[in-house]
Structures are given as structure tokens and as C-alpha cells.
Amino acid sequence: MPQFPQNFLWGAATSAYQVEGNNIYSDWWEWERRIGLKEVSKEACRHYDLYKQDFDLAKNLNHNAHRLSIEWSRVEPRKDKFLDKEIDHYLEVVRCLREYGMEPIITLHHFTNPFWFAQCGGWQEKFAIDYFLDYVKRLVEALAKTVRYWITFNEPLVYVYHAYILGLWPPQEKSILKAMRVIENLICAHLKSYKLIHKIYKQKKLSSPYVSIAKNMQYFMPCQPTLRNRLAVYLRD
């Protein structure tokens, strides 16, 4: 049996749009209805209201950590209009995790964007970086005392691939050039967010935070050790 460190974090992850419900200012909310998607998020599983019950289930599964995302469109439903009550809600969610003895890991961007942001051109535009940094600053200043782990972007290349290569997710583009532009902007936004988050913690005289992205990882192995299968694994890997 493998031995894990005593402080190893075991848990699960959710994204706000998938579980909270009624994120009506998100670009996905508008997109689902505009294209006539048969299954739309609606109330989802009402995690926004039922998070305590959900964390109770997680605790019973012996989780000691939980990764959740902040829905940017809730916090800033209109450009430069931040809602303190929504920031306070996420602060209560984080405090609840602490009460359950679970380490909160906060994702700042998990695929969805505010609709106003998408209408401005979204991640294809350079100014997207500054908009994102304004949002990051608000959230980190509010949650810094209760959060040590920050994920700036969840699986950024998965987002780019589905939204700007395959054209399956909003804004449903199919352009290598646009995809490369978005990747460049996401990298820049991550680097600047990393520095900003550390700066805020230093100003507040808090211990240095842990800041990264969530990277999607895939591992391939041949179902049968034939030359053909081994070659396929090598090429796919």
C-alpha cells in the first residue's frame, strides 16, 4: 500500500456554474438559451443554498479538502459593479469549510465568464487581463485570511480547445489564431494574478499563499502490449 504524507489533501472539486444554479449573468446562461440547448443549468443542484448539506456529505466521505470555484458573474454581474453580498456569501462558504475541518481551495475562473465580459470580446482582447485582475483583487482581499490555496484558471487549455478550436463552448469559435491569442492572454492573466495575490498577502502580513492553475492530466497505457498499441500510446502521450 502506498504511504501518503500525514498532511495529504483528499477531496473533490466543483465548479460554480455546474452546481450552484441560477447564475443568470454568466455567458453560459445566455448561450444555453440562445442555441436552444435541451438541458440547461437552471437550478443545477442548488449548491448555492445547500452547500452546508453538501459539505456534510463530503465530510462523511472523510474529505479534508474541497476545491470550489467563484462565479465571476455573480460577484460582478455588470462591469465595475461588484456585489458585496455575493462576496460575503463566498466568505461564509469558506468559513463553513473551515468549520468542517476541510481546506478550501479556491478557483477564480472555471470556464465561465460574465456575459458583459463576453460581449466585450472576452479573452480574445488584451483588456480582459485588467478586468480579470480587478475581480481577483476584490476576491483575494476579502478571502485572504481564510484561504491559502488559489487556482487562477481551471484547465485553461481545455477551455481554449473546446471554446476556440472545436467551437463547442461559448463563444463557439474555430480559429487557431484566436485560440493562440486567448492562450497568450490567459498566461499573462495568470502571471499577473500570481504576483497580485502574493502582493496582497504580503501587505496583509499573511503567510505566503499557494497559487497555481489546475492542469488536466491524461495517462495512456496499451490495453494489450502489441506494437500497434504501444505506438498509439507513444503518439497520443
Side-chain angles (χ1 to χ4, degrees), residues 195-206:
K195 293 176 182 178
L196 175 61
I197 295 170
H198 279 271
K199 180 182 177 182
I200 292 171
Y201 274 68
K202 189 173 182 180
Q203 289 172 342
K204 291 181 176 288
K205 298 180 179 179
L206 298 170

Side-chain angles (χ1 to χ4, degrees), residues 15-156:
S15 75
Y17 193 79
Q18 290 171 337
V19 299
E20 284 184 346
N22 296 317
N23 281 313
I24 63 175
Y25 299 108
S26 166
D27 59 343
W28 277 61
W29 187 273
E30 183 276 337
W31 169 73
E32 287 176 344
R33 284 147 185 79
R34 175 164 46 83
I35 68 169
L37 205 65
K38 289 183 179 180
E39 293 186 12
V40 296
S41 63
K42 295 182 181 178
E43 292 188 338
C45 53
R46 295 179 58 211
H47 178 72
Y48 186 87
D49 300 310
L50 303 176
Y51 63 91
K52 291 182 180 179
Q53 290 94 315
D54 292 337
F55 295 160
D56 189 52
L57 292 171
K59 187 63 178 177
N60 287 333
L61 292 170
N62 294 316
H63 291 190
N64 63 1
H66 183 74
R67 181 164 77 95
L68 67 145
S69 72
I70 307 294
E71 179 59 38
W72 182 4
S73 67
R74 276 191 186 274
V75 173
E76 191 182 6
R78 294 180 179 80
K79 184 178 178 295
D80 297 327
K81 300 295 182 183
F82 289 91
L83 299 183
D84 289 337
K85 70 179 184 70
E86 296 296 351
I87 296 175
D88 289 342
H89 167 80
Y90 286 112
L91 181 56
E92 283 302 311
V93 171
V94 169
R95 285 173 175 164
C96 181
L97 279 171
R98 288 285 181 203
E99 290 172 4
Y100 275 92
M102 288 188 281
E103 186 75 37
I105 301 170
I106 303 299
T107 305
L108 292 163
H109 184 277
H110 197 132
F111 299 155
T112 59
N113 303 290
F115 183 53
W116 65 262
F117 176 83
Q119 284 186 307
C120 292
W123 288 105
Q124 297 179 54
E125 307 295 337
K126 276 292 181 185
F127 54 69
I129 299 167
D130 291 329
Y131 289 155
F132 185 70
L133 289 174
D134 288 341
Y135 155 68
V136 171
K137 186 173 184 292
R138 290 284 185 129
L139 260 296
V140 175
E141 286 182 340
L143 303 181
K145 290 183 179 180
T146 53
V147 174
R148 293 190 302 167
Y149 294 90
W150 295 91
I151 302 295
T152 54
F153 294 97
N154 177 78
E155 301 177 343

Side-chain angles (χ1 to χ4, degrees), residues 4 17 26 67 73 81 93 98 112 121 123 162 165-166 174 181 185 206-208 215 228 235:
F4 290 88
Y17 193 79
S26 166
R67 181 164 77 95
S73 67
K81 300 295 182 183
V93 171
R98 288 285 181 203
T112 59
W123 288 105
H162 284 79
I165 300 295
L166 295 180
K174 290 184 179 181
R181 195 182 310 143
N185 288 338
L206 298 170
S207 299
S208 293
K215 173 66 178 170
R228 179 183 178 186
L235 293 174

